[in-house]
Amino acid sequence: MKTIKRMMEHQLWANRELLSGVRESGKDNREALKLLRHIAVAEQVWITRLSGESSGKLQLWTDDAELASLTELIASNESRYAAFMDGLTEERLDDIVTYANQSGTVFHTSIRDILTHVALHGQYHRGQINRVLREASGEPKALDFILYARLS
């Protein structure tokens, strides 16, 4: 349980750091914003499913990302995940969540596997955003877990 909680705390910290990096770049980098939006909406999708609600109305990929709306969505996700994690026990980690993906296909997945996926999925795309920032002469953000561990 402690490891999953640390992974989720890192994920939320890394999102804030990367949002700051995109903001600091001072550029309207559409690719970085699109990827950051994808991370935020994917996290919204999963917390919605973990809450027993349908995520069918949420679009994972669009080209209309704006920094202000992403800031709000990331803050909302952080609040929702924090509340979910506060109420989660070791015994519930292997509970099965039944949900439909964006195409309507039904799946059954443990809470443990969903949270692990959320943490790893975000890490992949944050790396892509850092590459985009570097290519646009921006400053990539250091987001490794070990840095988070040293700071916390």
Side-chain angles (χ1 to χ4, degrees):
M1 181 71 183
K2 186 175 179 180
T3 300
I4 291 281
K5 283 190 173 191
R6 289 284 285 169
M7 288 174 64
M8 294 306 295
E9 290 166 358
H10 167 256
Q11 172 241 347
L12 298 172
W13 168 83
N15 284 349
R16 288 190 307 271
E17 288 293 304
L18 195 54
L19 180 64
S20 168
V22 171
R23 184 180 296 114
E24 290 166 7
S25 75
K27 298 182 174 109
D28 185 25
N29 189 315
R30 301 312 305 161
E31 186 175 359
L33 288 170
K34 180 178 180 177
L35 288 164
L36 186 56
R37 182 196 174 281
H38 173 72
I39 292 170
V41 172
E43 291 171 3
Q44 181 185 27
V45 162
W46 285 110
I47 195 62
T48 299
R49 291 172 181 167
L50 286 167
S51 301
E53 303 164 24
S54 171
S55 64
K57 66 187 179 307
L58 301 171
Q59 291 184 301
L60 287 167
W61 291 104
T62 66
D63 292 325
D64 61 350
E66 296 177 357
L67 201 53
S69 61
L70 288 175
T71 301
E72 291 175 17
L73 179 53
I74 287 170
S76 172
N77 285 347
E78 184 167 344
S79 175
R80 291 180 74 189
Y81 275 101
F84 182 81
M85 296 303 293
D86 282 347
L88 188 61
T89 63
E90 178 72 35
E91 296 75 31
R92 288 196 47 229
L93 276 175
D94 292 314
D95 286 0
I96 300 300
V97 176
T98 300
Y99 60 92
N101 70 5
Q102 303 317 98
S103 301
T105 305
V106 175
F107 292 94
H108 312 279
T109 308
S110 71
I111 292 172
R112 181 186 314 271
D113 287 345
I114 289 170
L115 293 175
T116 301
H117 168 73
V118 170
L120 296 175
H121 174 264
Q123 193 65 9
Y124 172 76
H125 290 299
R126 285 188 291 272
Q128 289 180 309
I129 294 168
N130 264 336
R131 176 192 48 82
V132 168
L133 290 176
R134 177 173 280 128
E135 289 173 354
S137 300
E139 189 66 33
K141 296 297 268 187
L143 303 172
D144 288 339
F145 178 82
I146 197 66
L147 175 61
Y148 169 75
R150 291 173 185 153
L151 295 171
S152 61

